[in-house]
Amino acid sequence: MITNKINGFEKTTNSTDLVYNPKSKLDKDAFLKLFIKELELQDPTDPMDTDKMLEQTSYLSTMEMNKNMQDTLNTLSQKLQIQSELNTISAIGKMADTGNRYLNVTDDDTSKTFELYFGDDISSGNVIIKDKSGNIVKTFPLEAHKKGILSFDWDLTDENGNRVKSDTYEITAEYTDPDGNKHTTSLGAYPIESVRFEDGKTLAKLGSNYIPFDEIKEIYQWQG
């Protein structure tokens, strides 16, 4: 119980009438309760002046508008997130290009595995590995095969059987389909097989790997 003295008179207030805010945050409800309690406990002979009352009610109105605006922004953010995820899912089945045509070889590597996507059935052709100067380092002959993603193992030797130096190498392929049409493909271009959302990131499955969407340079419809 708390006793307040006003002009010689005592006014007793039950502890249950007090306004508590354990989180130390004055939201609009707590502010309104505090404001009402302040009006109840004011000195009748010296009431709150009009300007101060208007200032506090204006503050209450501002808090209410801010809360409504924040609720609106949160709702809009959720809707935009859902829309973004739906747009991302619609990319499944389209081609994604990371723009990365090069395979990195280090001194610690004994071999390298890479994947290429062939959008048409293969009749014959070659996988071509070039150094940064455009010189052909190694070729892999292609046998007849159905279209899709093919995996290749490179023992890091050149055409003469020598181990290549540590560097980056461009991977491409030239092939002919059963109708005699010529095609090319390269490292970094694959169809998007699925989309995964993980730890706030959006990942696309390209070949056997999941790649963050922000690493994709272009998404397009395959023109086979």
Side-chain angles (χ1 to χ4, degrees):
M1 181 179 295
I2 297 176
T3 302
N4 300 292
K5 279 191 174 183
I6 301 176
N7 293 339
F9 294 95
E10 293 185 352
K11 180 174 181 179
T12 301
T13 304
N14 292 327
S15 59
T16 55
D17 292 335
L18 297 179
V19 177
Y20 291 95
N21 191 5
K23 295 183 180 179
S24 300
K25 291 183 179 180
L26 193 64
D27 58 18
K28 66 181 184 64
D29 293 330
F31 180 83
L32 181 59
K33 290 180 181 179
L34 187 62
F35 180 56
I36 292 174
K37 186 58 64 177
E38 184 179 8
L39 292 176
E40 292 177 353
L41 298 179
Q42 69 180 336
D43 184 352
T45 64
D46 185 21
M48 183 187 304
D49 61 65
T50 303
D51 289 341
K52 185 175 181 181
M53 183 178 295
L54 288 174
E55 178 183 345
Q56 296 201 40
T57 53
S58 175
Y59 179 67
L60 178 62
S61 177
T62 300
M63 291 181 67
E64 177 69 21
M65 287 190 296
N66 288 341
K67 182 181 183 303
N68 291 339
M69 181 178 294
Q70 187 60 51
D71 290 343
T72 301
L73 290 175
N74 289 340
T75 301
L76 179 60
S77 176
Q78 292 174 358
K79 289 183 177 179
L80 289 175
Q81 178 65 28
I82 293 173
Q83 184 63 44
S84 176
E85 292 179 356
L86 290 175
N87 290 339
T88 303
I89 292 173
S90 68
I92 295 175
K94 295 182 179 179
M95 290 293 296
D97 195 336
T98 64
N100 184 14
R101 305 286 182 256
Y102 290 86
L103 192 69
N104 188 46
V105 175
T106 68
D107 291 339
D108 296 329
D109 294 327
T110 57
S111 64
K112 278 289 185 178
T113 299
F114 59 89
E115 296 175 326
L116 292 174
Y117 173 68
F118 297 86
D120 300 272
D121 291 344
I122 303 169
S123 176
S124 62
N126 288 290
V127 174
I128 304 169
I129 303 177
K130 297 180 181 179
D131 61 21
K132 289 190 295 186
S133 299
N135 302 312
I136 296 177
V137 174
K138 185 83 170 184
T139 58
F140 293 91
L142 291 170
E143 298 179 353
H145 202 283
K146 291 291 185 182
K147 64 181 180 180
I149 294 176
L150 299 182
S151 180
F152 300 89
D153 292 314
W154 181 26
D155 62 3
L156 304 184
T157 61
D158 60 18
E159 296 284 43
N160 297 319
N162 300 316
R163 206 278 191 184
V164 299
K165 64 179 182 179
S166 297
D167 208 338
T168 55
Y169 295 87
E170 184 182 19
I171 312 292
T172 60
E174 299 175 352
Y175 66 102
T176 303
D177 64 26
D179 295 327
N181 300 309
K182 295 185 181 299
H183 306 276
T184 60
T185 189
S186 57
L187 194 70
Y190 311 92
I192 299 176
E193 297 182 18
S194 64
V195 173
R196 185 169 73 189
F197 303 100
E198 184 177 285
D199 298 329
K201 291 185 177 181
T202 305
L203 308 174
K205 187 179 181 184
L206 308 181
S208 58
N209 300 309
Y210 278 93
I211 306 296
F213 249 80
D214 56 11
E215 293 184 13
I216 297 175
K217 305 301 182 184
E218 183 181 8
I219 295 177
Y220 57 93
Q221 192 70 48
W222 171 256
Q223 300 294 330

